[in-house]
Amino acid sequence: MYEFGEKTESYLLVGVQMGSQEEALDSLAELRELARTAGAKVLGTVLQAREEPHPATYVGKGKLEELLDLLNETEADGIICDDELTPAQLNNLERELSCKVIDRTLLILDIFAGRAVSSEGKLQVELAQLKYRAARLVGLRNSLSRLGGGIGTRGPGEKKLEMDRRLIHERIGRLKRELAEVERHRDVIRAGRKKGSLKVAALVGYSCAGKSSLENALTRSDIYEDDLLFSTLDTTTRVLDLPGKQELLLTDTVGFIRKLPHHLIEAFKGTLEEAKYADILIHVVDAAAPGMDERMQVVYDTLRELEVKNKTVVTVFNKADKLEAPRTFRDFRADYSVTLSAKTGEGLSGLTDILEDILSRDQIYVERLIPYGRAGVLQLIRSKGRLLEEEYLPEGISIRAQVPREIYHMV
């Protein structure tokens, strides 16, 4: 009788501290979570304080010897470095340590490959992986050609590594064309939303801040959610019915993370640009997370890189149920701030009130006598604006309402 099962790989985490120790430890803690998300077991960590990573081996010679002893002692399958390695660093580390070497970028790409569901998501992940591997084809061949697979081999995988650079670049060109077609389709959808006069609010934030949980709580949906990083990659859009009977489109986006690989930002630009074309940004923050301020800064930096600007920003401090004592938070870079718990529902009404207030700012107050033959316009007002009062008279329906400028001529 033979039993077959997937082997859990074990790794040592390796980081270089170029700033404060606290920041470096936070980054390594996040790397541990990334490894856990990828299904790896972490056996230990090695941190070296340097002005910059060693150009040849990432860490210095003494730390490299210490790392080799630790690998022999723990019998770990390999190491995961907390930065993106150059091809030379990758080759040298594999040669010196004789083990599997993975950097932060490859680890994130592997997680994305395992989480991509839609055809667009798979195209985006494959494009990012191929761009990364094209420059590291020789170095990666040794660590990724072993039988048994493991972390770093999902997605395009081994067959792509057997191609030469010319074939990989041809594949990259085809993927770019396919994604351009997907982007044109996305533009058509955005144009349809704009024509329908519905405002769009994009959920943005650090990975694992609770964006999917908040979307589920607000729209009563069942979007997949868990406590792992990058639990959802594909954009989801749901209609949010506000208490005042107005409607708003709520769109989720992929979570951000410190040291987010440039390849991913480029590949997922179409998805991330949902924030660029939204009317409102809902910045979801994990209020109970250590290093909350640094995570918020990562989000703002990424939005700036995507050229997302001049938006109404609502910062939501989520997971209030995990706080030891009630607190009031404030984001001075946002137009509004609210503290809530998507899990318990506490404070959700405060967020919907803010969203209604934002929609009302761009509306015009009208008083009309609507003939009964045009009674259907009342439903339009209810869905797009706010019907404040209606009175049925012999000559028609007398109304007082607030309507968006886009439908003012239709009332």
Side-chain angles (χ1 to χ4, degrees), residues 357-368:
D357 179 61
I358 294 171
L359 295 181
S360 299
R361 288 187 314 181
D362 197 34
Q363 293 178 347
I364 302 171
Y365 176 79
V366 296
E367 293 183 5
R368 292 283 192 276

Side-chain angles (χ1 to χ4, degrees), residues 253-314:
T253 61
V254 64
F256 302 152
I257 197 171
R258 54 166 68 91
K259 303 178 185 177
L260 188 64
H262 183 72
H263 306 294
L264 275 183
I265 293 178
E266 281 298 311
F268 278 77
K269 200 167 186 179
T271 302
L272 292 170
E273 279 186 343
E274 287 293 338
K276 188 173 182 178
Y277 296 103
D279 302 288
I280 305 167
L281 292 184
I282 301 177
H283 178 190
V284 185
V285 178
D286 183 351
M292 180 187 71
D293 292 333
E294 288 78 8
R295 295 186 176 198
M296 291 172 66
Q297 186 61 50
V298 168
V299 173
Y300 282 116
D301 289 343
T302 308
L303 290 173
R304 185 169 55 252
E305 186 173 349
L306 293 167
E307 299 181 352
V308 179
K309 51 189 176 182
N310 300 324
K311 303 291 182 183
T312 300
V313 179
V314 181

Side-chain angles (χ1 to χ4, degrees), residues 37-39 106-118 121-122 125-126 129 133 150-156 224 226 228-234 268:
T37 300
L106 185 59
L107 181 62
I108 294 175
L109 288 172
D110 183 82
I111 293 170
F112 271 53
R115 294 296 179 95
V117 176
S118 69
K122 291 175 181 177
V125 170
E126 185 176 355
Q129 285 183 315
R133 289 175 178 174
I151 294 173
T153 62
R154 285 179 280 227
Y224 178 76
D226 62 26
L228 297 176
L229 298 172
F230 303 120
S231 59
T232 52
L233 299 183
D234 299 308
F268 278 77

Side-chain angles (χ1 to χ4, degrees), residues 52-63:
E52 60 182 19
H54 193 285
T57 54
Y58 185 61
V59 293
K61 183 178 180 181
K63 191 63 69 172

Side-chain angles (χ1 to χ4, degrees), residues 1 15 17 69 77 141 162 231 236 240-241 260 275 297 305 331 356 365 399 401:
M1 176 71 74
Q17 176 193 330
D69 291 339
D77 295 298
R141 187 180 301 277
E162 295 168 358
S231 59
T236 57
L240 169 60
D241 295 310
L260 188 64
Q297 186 61 50
E305 186 173 349
D331 180 8
E356 280 199 314
Y365 176 79
I399 66 163

